[in-house]
Amino acid sequence: MNLAAKMNVELARVASLPERDAKCLPGYFYTSPEYFAYEVDAVLSKEWHYVGRADEVPHPGDYFTTTLLGEPLLVVRGDDGIIRVLSNVCRHRGMPLAEGSGSTRRFVCSYHAWSYNCDGVLANAPRMRDKGVTSATCRLPEFRSETWQGFIYVNLDDNAVPLTPRLAQLQSLLENYRPLEMHIVHVAEEEWRTNWKCLVENFMEAYHLSVVHPETLHPYTPTGLSRKSMSDDAFTSYCANYPSDIPSRGRGASGLTAEERQRSTLFCLFPTQVASQAASLLVSFALKPIAADRIQVRWTMSTYGDDLTNHEIEERIALWNEVNREDREKLEKMQRALGSRHAPCGPLAPTDYEGTIWDFYRYLARKTEPPPL
Ligand code: FES
Ligand SMILES: [Fe+2]
């Protein structure tokens, strides 16, 4: 039995424990390069990944670039208004066609000037007329993508099962917040030296909130008020409830209940999107694994209507930067310790605090295959 198969037996064993006995996965699940390569091949390259918000590309020709599992991607709105995720690799000799974000009528390769329309079809290839390179024969490959509630998702697997039909329950959790009506105010990208699963688990557990974030989050979302919320095969979630005596943080959509206004709902759409949805603020992270101990994090912030002034938006961006710094410091230290021969398989905290991690393990176990006994 190879290493990944052995580890999957262990994963299946941990994931099958009753919730009251739930435990952490052994440290080598987070540090092994071989297991990371297996995860990319068996899980990540077949799953749907959040890449950005639709209103980052509001008009035809608007685009941004990103990289997912080594694939350079070009997310672009075509002249027909459709958002496509294209290969950002020129069909001549492989130069990336665009960097960063912007708006254009055509993508012109910086190397030999082949050019492509916004739907990926070749527009022109200088001096190639006799080589059979035409708009009929040459276009940028397109990846599977779906847009849901303003989130753009991509899947590198052409045979993937569609995502959106599986999101009915998550939809019911979020719909009053009207995420589709929120508008983007900030995009940032950074690299963290941690395993991708550690960041999923960290974002999705409330147990650390009051310890790691005593000044930034604890006053609004203390550990003790957090409650596990809905989950199914596609996602898990918890509600970070605010104390009743704190001032309003914006009204949000008119259909929100009083309880929904008084909390942030944190969810993970498996495997790599984690997000916090509140009345006036939506913060969503695209986790892009690079290696067992490295991850690229692209995060977006959106706000509802004109709930927040520019000054308040700047304050929220600063707050999230500080929260991210606090989490990152802890996760990068922990990553260095998880390779220890004494890395623990400690117990998970009760459902309201770490039950989401148990959901995540069960998702991972569903997506990996232990060999038959
Ligand atoms: S690599 Fe793009 S035109 Fe040559
Ligand atoms: Fe945190």
Side-chain angles (χ1 to χ4, degrees), residues 80-118:
D80 52 6
I82 294 173
I83 297 173
R84 293 180 178 82
V85 179
L86 304 172
S87 169
N88 187 17
V89 180
C90 179
R91 300 301 290 165
H92 177 221
R93 279 172 50 205
M95 183 63 75
L97 288 164
E99 290 176 22
S101 61
S103 188
T104 188
R105 286 195 58 238
R106 281 186 184 165
F107 295 96
V108 181
C109 181
S110 61
Y111 204 177
H112 312 94
W114 286 28
S115 61
Y116 303 85
N117 296 329
C118 291

Side-chain angles (χ1 to χ4, degrees), residues 7 26 44 61 72 76 96 127 134 136 145 195 229 243 250 256 268 286 294 312:
M7 289 174 67
L44 297 169
V76 55
R127 304 175 202 282
T134 69
S145 65
N195 182 267
S229 185
L256 285 169
C268 173
R294 285 171 63 205
E312 285 170 324

Side-chain angles (χ1 to χ4, degrees), residues 54-67:
D55 65 343
E56 291 182 64
V57 288
H59 307 297
D62 292 349
Y63 69 87
F64 66 86
T65 62
T66 190
T67 301

Side-chain angles (χ1 to χ4, degrees), residues 163-218:
L163 174 69
T164 313
R166 290 184 277 139
L167 301 184
Q169 190 165 194
L170 182 57
Q171 166 94 17
S172 72
L173 182 67
L174 302 181
E175 62 189 351
N176 284 353
Y177 291 96
R178 305 258 175 205
L180 191 54
E181 295 173 16
M182 302 192 92
H183 55 268
I184 191 102
V185 294
H186 186 67
V187 181
E189 188 142 2
E190 51 204 70
E191 186 178 315
W192 294 27
R193 304 288 304 197
T194 186
N195 182 267
W196 69 276
K197 299 188 295 299
C198 291
L199 187 38
V200 169
E201 293 171 19
N202 175 77
F203 197 95
M204 289 311 302
E205 56 95 343
Y207 197 32
H208 78 284
L209 293 180
S210 292
V211 182
V212 175
H213 310 293
E215 288 167 19
T216 47
L217 293 184
H218 171 75

Side-chain angles (χ1 to χ4, degrees), residues 70-329:
E71 277 297 340
L73 304 178
L74 181 55
V75 182
V76 55
R77 192 181 288 271
D79 295 336
D80 52 6
I82 294 173
I83 297 173
R84 293 180 178 82
V85 179
L86 304 172
S87 169
N88 187 17
V89 180
C90 179
R91 300 301 290 165
H92 177 221
R93 279 172 50 205
M95 183 63 75
L97 288 164
E99 290 176 22
S101 61
S103 188
T104 188
R105 286 195 58 238
R106 281 186 184 165
F107 295 96
V108 181
C109 181
S110 61
Y111 204 177
H112 312 94
W114 286 28
S115 61
Y116 303 85
N117 296 329
C118 291
D119 60 1
V121 172
L122 182 82
N124 188 34
R127 304 175 202 282
M128 286 282 180
R129 200 165 300 144
D130 297 335
K131 293 281 188 169
V133 183
T134 69
S135 58
T137 61
C138 183
R139 62 176 303 150
L140 299 173
E142 181 178 347
F143 293 96
R144 293 274 303 278
S145 65
E146 292 185 24
T147 302
W148 175 81
Q149 293 294 337
F151 300 112
I152 306 168
Y153 298 95
V154 63
N155 197 315
L156 303 183
D157 180 0
D158 288 342
N159 299 313
V161 176
L163 174 69
T164 313
R166 290 184 277 139
L167 301 184
Q169 190 165 194
L170 182 57
Q171 166 94 17
S172 72
L173 182 67
L174 302 181
E175 62 189 351
N176 284 353
Y177 291 96
R178 305 258 175 205
L180 191 54
E181 295 173 16
M182 302 192 92
H183 55 268
I184 191 102
V185 294
H186 186 67
V187 181
E189 188 142 2
E190 51 204 70
E191 186 178 315
W192 294 27
R193 304 288 304 197
T194 186
N195 182 267
W196 69 276
K197 299 188 295 299
C198 291
L199 187 38
V200 169
E201 293 171 19
N202 175 77
F203 197 95
M204 289 311 302
E205 56 95 343
Y207 197 32
H208 78 284
L209 293 180
S210 292
V211 182
V212 175
H213 310 293
E215 288 167 19
T216 47
L217 293 184
H218 171 75
Y220 281 93
T221 57
T223 293
L225 294 181
S226 296
R227 294 292 174 266
K228 177 90 188 302
S229 185
M230 295 179 197
S231 62
D232 66 14
D233 281 2
F235 81 105
T236 187
S237 67
Y238 80 91
C239 295
N241 296 299
Y242 311 153
S244 54
D245 56 349
I246 61 159
S248 159
R249 309 181 85 191
R251 278 195 55 76
S254 58
L256 285 169
T257 65
E259 291 77 25
E260 286 169 334
R261 281 209 174 87
Q262 202 62 14
R263 70 187 185 214
S264 298
T265 297
L266 287 88
F267 69 90
C268 173
L269 179 57
F270 301 133
T272 56
Q273 182 190 18
V274 290
S276 170
Q277 173 76 73
S280 300
L281 201 71
L282 168 64
V283 179
S284 185
F285 288 67
L287 312 185
K288 298 182 292 175
I290 299 170
D293 60 353
R294 285 171 63 205
I295 184 163
Q296 192 75 15
V297 179
R298 183 181 199 270
W299 63 278
T300 54
M301 179 180 283
S302 308
T303 59
Y304 190 83
D306 56 2
D307 276 8
L308 303 183
T309 65
N310 286 343
H311 178 67
E312 285 170 324
I313 290 170
E314 291 305 316
E315 283 181 340
R316 297 300 176 88
I317 293 168
L319 177 82
W320 274 88
N321 275 325
E322 180 60 11
V323 168
N324 286 343
R325 191 196 62 73
E326 290 167 339
D327 282 325
R328 180 175 173 176
E329 182 191 301

